Amino acid sequence: MEPSRYRRAYEAMMHVSHMVESRFIQARRESDVVSEASAPRLSPGNQGGNAARDPGTVAAVFLEQDDSDGMEWTPTGSAAAVVPCNPPMTTSKSPLHLLSGETDHGREDGSPRDEKGANEVLLHKLEETMIMDKCVDKLVQDFPDVLNYDDASTFTPSTIEVPRDFGLQMSISINHHLAQVADRKVLEKYRRLLGHRKDPTQKRPLKLGFNPVDLIKKQAVSFSEDSVARRSSLDNEIHPIFRPENFHGCPDEIYEVLKPALRLSTLLILHRATAPFWHTLVFGDRQPDSETSELYGQACYRIRDDVSWSEERETTFKHFLDSQVDTLHFLFHREPLPRDPAYASMGLVADYKNGILRKLAGKCHTSKICLHTDFFTTAKRLSLLQYPEPAMVLRFNLFLASCIVHEMAHFIEVSGPHHERPLEKAEVFFNDNMWTESGIAFELKVFGGRLHPISSRVDCGLGLAILSYPLKELYDKEENILYTIPMDYVSMVQQKETWERDFSTADHTVFHIPRTGSRSAEINGTNLMVWEDEKDADISDHIDGKDTTFHRMDDGQIIKNPQSNNRKPKREPEVRRWSPYGRQRNNTLSLAVCISKEVQEDEKESVAGKEPGNERDQMGGPVDEDMF
């Protein structure tokens, strides 16, 4: 934490320690006064010496009270008390000065001091909350000014550390991916015990994880050959709620990288193509659901019918969003949702002064959206690159926009103008959904599924995938299938021409992502180590012209060698290796023995045939006597 950025909060916390120390010092003064009253009076010369020190001490006290940079509130007590010139002792060294009537050497009656009993009395005095009540009152007065997020200078998060190698914290390593695959294979055994068998009509089983070669073939990480639009052409105005002042701890160069995603976020919220979801969320008829309420143990409401677009609703919705410019704030954090890994989260800002109020001074409760620091790290790297990869930049923009709008759905559900319900109630249920999650409802309504980066890489360097929701459980017969998002769709949704079309007759499925990409069962990751050893790769560069199964092209793509089907079959080993699973037939074994005997006899007869006097047939072989 940087004190310069948390100035008022830092001063309030420092005031607590100063007030406690002043309390101890005051108790020590009282004990000194008592000891001086019981001791013999000093000579006039000594009194003059003490009086000579008083002006400096009083001046020091006056300077402390007249500090313009300090807090406007000072602890109650005797301001004219004389402060000794020596440095005040800390509470850890002299914690017993709160006990009035005690000297440094013992009690008033001269008896030795009981350390254990004195400490108990000290703890009892601290538990009386005589000091802490005033501290809490002061913190309640000062902390809301910090937590209300009045402007960027009032509250700024601590400095975000960007790794030197721009490593991502949420990225799944290859070892982690292999461990997930191994764990899933163990679960498959239990699924078979539950009676789930593989579909016999399925030609080949689905792979656990994505195949890197398929990611290239299905255009999940690269553009197609006929692709023209390889950059975002959006130039619409960014909504003021996404202005730079609302992004705390975000330098200008980082905000420039985020602009394409913020333009896309603005369209995903305010465009007519996505209006069916937002109008349903804000203006939908919320009816009590008794069955769901009984299941969840609290009052639940459900929107069963979608709301169509209208100009009046669009005006009301935009007016509401414009009025919340100062209400919502964005920041980067390593743990957006503590104890659970998450890409982003939305929450209310704690207000210890006003409590949880739905509206204050005509505005909704102040809220914040926390984005994972991996977004900041990726934006920092892109800001330093002169020629970043266009495909990865487009995927990063799409995923960041989906995360921001996902959390915006939560914010609008909590603070929207559609109802005046208390904040502690559950979010509304959409259609037939059995989960109360407005962000997921947005993704399903607009994209047709939830978006996830492959291997949890926020930069989407390995591609994006879409997953159906809700997830299938282990006891379900069906599996959770992930599909990669083709680059044609990623590029299309970020083109200006796409949003300029007429969507008056289009339904909510106009931006649903096609399920034509590479597939993976259960595991959202990929193993880049396709070949553990280079000799087993069977791949060569295209310019080499070697007879291998795959060729590596100049642009990095790996394609199959068109002449690999005409390759000569591999030569079988001369000696067949023994295998414990290879069973041999009995008749085959006896036949082999007979053949070996005949071969040995033929060799003997051929040697004997070379001797003179042996008759041979016309073919030069031995004469068979049985023929005659």
Side-chain angles (χ1 to χ4, degrees):
M1 179 182 293
E2 297 182 4
S4 61
R5 299 187 177 185
Y6 289 89
R7 183 176 181 275
R8 300 197 65 182
Y10 179 78
E11 290 176 351
M13 288 185 292
M14 290 298 297
H15 181 75
V16 176
S17 59
H18 290 325
M19 192 168 63
V20 173
E21 290 185 3
S22 64
R23 184 69 176 177
F24 284 121
I25 294 173
Q26 182 180 353
R28 183 181 180 184
R29 295 171 189 165
E30 294 175 358
S31 63
D32 292 339
V33 171
V34 174
S35 61
E36 289 179 1
S38 60
R41 293 190 176 183
L42 301 176
S43 61
N46 293 336
Q47 290 182 0
N50 291 336
R53 293 181 300 187
D54 291 345
T57 305
V58 174
V61 175
F62 176 77
L63 290 176
E64 290 180 2
Q65 295 178 353
D66 195 41
D67 186 10
S68 59
D69 294 334
M71 313 297 283
E72 297 178 358
W73 181 88
T74 55
T76 58
S78 177
V82 178
V83 181
C85 292
N86 56 333
M89 299 184 67
T90 59
T91 58
S92 60
K93 294 183 179 180
S94 56
L96 300 177
H97 292 297
L98 278 177
L99 304 177
S100 59
E102 294 184 7
T103 61
D104 293 339
H105 302 286
R107 303 182 183 274
E108 293 180 353
D109 55 358
S111 61
R113 183 165 50 196
D114 186 7
E115 296 288 342
K116 182 176 181 181
N119 289 332
E120 293 178 356
V121 175
L122 176 60
L123 294 176
H124 177 70
K125 285 183 174 291
L126 293 177
E127 291 175 357
E128 289 178 353
T129 67
M130 296 175 59
I131 300 176
M132 296 308 298
D133 285 345
K134 297 179 181 179
C135 297
V136 171
D137 291 340
K138 187 57 182 174
L139 293 176
V140 168
Q141 294 176 9
D142 295 331
F143 263 95
D145 296 337
V146 179
L147 297 178
N148 278 340
Y149 293 65
D150 293 333
D151 53 76
S153 60
T154 305
F155 179 87
T156 305
S158 58
T159 304
I160 301 175
E161 297 181 0
V162 177
R164 293 184 178 180
D165 59 346
F166 299 99
L168 303 178
Q169 298 178 4
M170 295 192 67
S171 177
I172 296 178
S173 63
I174 295 179
N175 293 334
H176 189 188
H177 171 73
L178 296 177
Q180 286 183 337
V181 174
D183 294 342
R184 188 63 196 180
K185 290 181 178 179
V186 174
L187 292 179
E188 288 298 327
K189 298 180 179 180
Y190 291 97
R191 294 185 78 247
R192 287 193 293 267
L193 293 177
L194 294 175
H196 301 318
R197 303 294 180 181
K198 295 181 180 180
D199 190 357
T201 60
Q202 189 175 355
K203 296 182 180 180
R204 54 182 179 179
L206 294 174
K207 297 181 179 179
L208 297 174
F210 293 102
N211 188 348
V213 178
D214 292 339
L215 295 179
I216 299 175
K217 291 182 178 180
K218 297 291 185 178
Q219 280 80 42
V221 294
S222 59
F223 296 100
S224 58
E225 297 180 358
D226 55 350
S227 177
V228 178
R230 302 195 174 192
R231 297 183 182 275
S232 175
S233 61
L234 300 178
D235 58 354
N236 57 293
E237 293 290 337
I238 299 176
H239 193 272
I241 204 170
F242 302 130
R243 61 185 181 177
E245 293 79 5
N246 289 356
F247 280 81
H248 299 275
C250 183
D252 294 339
E253 62 272 12
I254 301 298
Y255 186 79
E256 287 294 327
V257 177
L258 305 182
K259 277 186 176 180
L262 299 179
R263 292 191 178 96
L264 181 58
S265 301
T266 302
L267 293 174
L268 290 174
I269 296 176
L270 297 177
H271 200 271
R272 182 170 180 175
T274 60
F277 169 78
W278 301 107
H279 289 189
T280 303
L281 177 65
V282 176
F283 307 105
D285 185 14
R286 298 167 180 257
Q287 297 294 334
D289 192 339
S290 58
E291 297 181 1
T292 309
S293 300
E294 183 179 359
L295 181 62
Y296 281 84
Q298 59 178 334
C300 298
Y301 296 85
R302 183 178 296 275
I303 300 177
R304 300 187 182 276
D305 300 327
D306 296 341
V307 178
S308 59
W309 176 91
S310 68
E311 186 175 356
E312 181 182 0
R313 297 191 185 100
E314 182 180 2
T315 303
T316 305
F317 180 69
K318 288 183 177 180
H319 176 71
F320 158 73
L321 204 61
D322 294 340
S323 63
Q324 304 304 317
V325 172
D326 299 329
T327 304
L328 186 61
H329 301 261
F330 300 84
L331 63 147
F332 300 92
H333 200 276
R334 291 185 177 181
E335 294 182 354
L337 194 63
R339 296 185 303 274
D340 295 328
Y343 301 112
S345 67
M346 196 286 297
L348 303 177
V349 177
D351 193 339
Y352 298 100
K353 183 177 181 180
N354 303 307
I356 299 180
L357 297 178
R358 179 161 187 80
K359 291 186 178 180
L360 183 64
K363 295 183 179 180
C364 296
H365 196 287
T366 307
S367 304
K368 60 181 178 180
I369 292 180
C370 293
L371 300 173
H372 199 277
T373 53
D374 283 356
F375 288 107
F376 189 94
T377 301
T378 303
K380 182 66 175 179
R381 182 180 61 172
L382 294 177
S383 65
L384 299 176
L385 293 177
Q386 186 175 2
Y387 301 104
E389 184 183 359
M392 193 198 74
V393 173
L394 291 178
R395 293 193 299 269
F396 172 73
N397 296 339
L398 176 59
F399 181 64
L400 176 58
S402 66
C403 289
I404 292 177
V405 181
H406 176 113
E407 304 305 330
M408 285 293 298
H410 290 292
F411 170 73
I412 294 174
E413 163 62 17
V414 171
S415 58
H418 41 278
H419 52 71
E420 295 294 337
R421 63 170 179 77
L423 294 176
E424 63 270 11
K425 287 190 177 180
E427 295 182 357
V428 70
F429 289 79
F430 259 75
N431 304 130
D432 297 332
N433 297 345
M434 291 307 298
W435 63 91
T436 167
E437 232 282 357
S438 302
I440 296 179
F442 158 77
E443 294 190 51
L444 298 183
K445 204 75 172 181
V446 176
F447 299 120
R450 296 206 63 185
L451 272 64
H452 292 281
I454 297 178
S455 296
S456 299
R457 292 184 62 90
V458 167
D459 62 354
C460 305
L462 301 178
L464 271 171
I466 185 172
L467 176 65
S468 299
Y469 203 84
L471 300 178
K472 305 296 187 302
E473 300 294 341
L474 181 63
Y475 50 80
D476 294 335
K477 185 176 182 180
E478 299 179 359
E479 296 177 335
N480 298 305
I481 308 300
L482 297 101
Y483 297 85
T484 57
I485 303 177
M487 284 303 304
D488 292 341
Y489 176 89
V490 177
S491 177
M492 178 270 298
V493 79
Q494 300 184 56
Q495 301 304 315
K496 181 179 179 180
E497 296 78 9
T498 302
W499 298 93
E500 291 178 347
R501 294 183 301 172
D502 183 15
F503 292 94
S504 57
T505 58
D507 57 2
H508 67 278
T509 63
V510 63
F511 284 127
H512 276 201
I513 299 175
R515 306 296 178 93
T516 58
S518 178
R519 297 189 301 172
S520 171
E522 303 293 343
I523 305 298
N524 180 25
T526 180
N527 179 14
L528 299 180
M529 298 176 60
V530 182
W531 300 282
E532 297 180 359
D533 195 349
E534 186 66 23
K535 66 180 182 180
D536 299 331
D538 201 14
I539 185 174
S540 64
D541 292 336
H542 180 67
I543 58 177
D544 294 342
K546 294 183 179 180
D547 188 15
T548 55
T549 306
F550 296 98
H551 279 168
R552 184 184 291 107
M553 308 302 292
D554 296 339
D555 56 355
Q557 296 186 9
I558 299 176
I559 64 173
K560 190 175 182 180
N561 185 1
Q563 299 180 356
S564 61
N565 296 330
N566 299 329
R567 298 173 63 191
K568 297 180 180 179
K570 295 183 179 180
R571 183 179 180 183
E572 296 295 335
E574 298 180 357
V575 181
R576 185 176 181 181
R577 297 181 180 179
W578 179 84
S579 174
Y581 305 100
R583 298 182 179 179
Q584 297 179 349
R585 299 178 181 178
N586 296 332
N587 55 358
T588 304
L589 180 61
S590 60
L591 180 61
V593 175
C594 297
I595 293 176
S596 61
K597 292 181 179 180
E598 292 179 358
V599 171
Q600 293 177 359
E601 293 178 356
D602 292 345
E603 292 178 353
K604 293 180 181 179
E605 292 179 356
S606 60
V607 173
K610 294 181 181 180
E611 297 178 0
N614 287 347
E615 298 179 355
R616 303 182 60 88
D617 57 359
Q618 296 179 356
M619 301 299 297
V623 179
D624 191 358
E625 298 180 354
D626 294 339
M627 296 176 61
F628 300 97

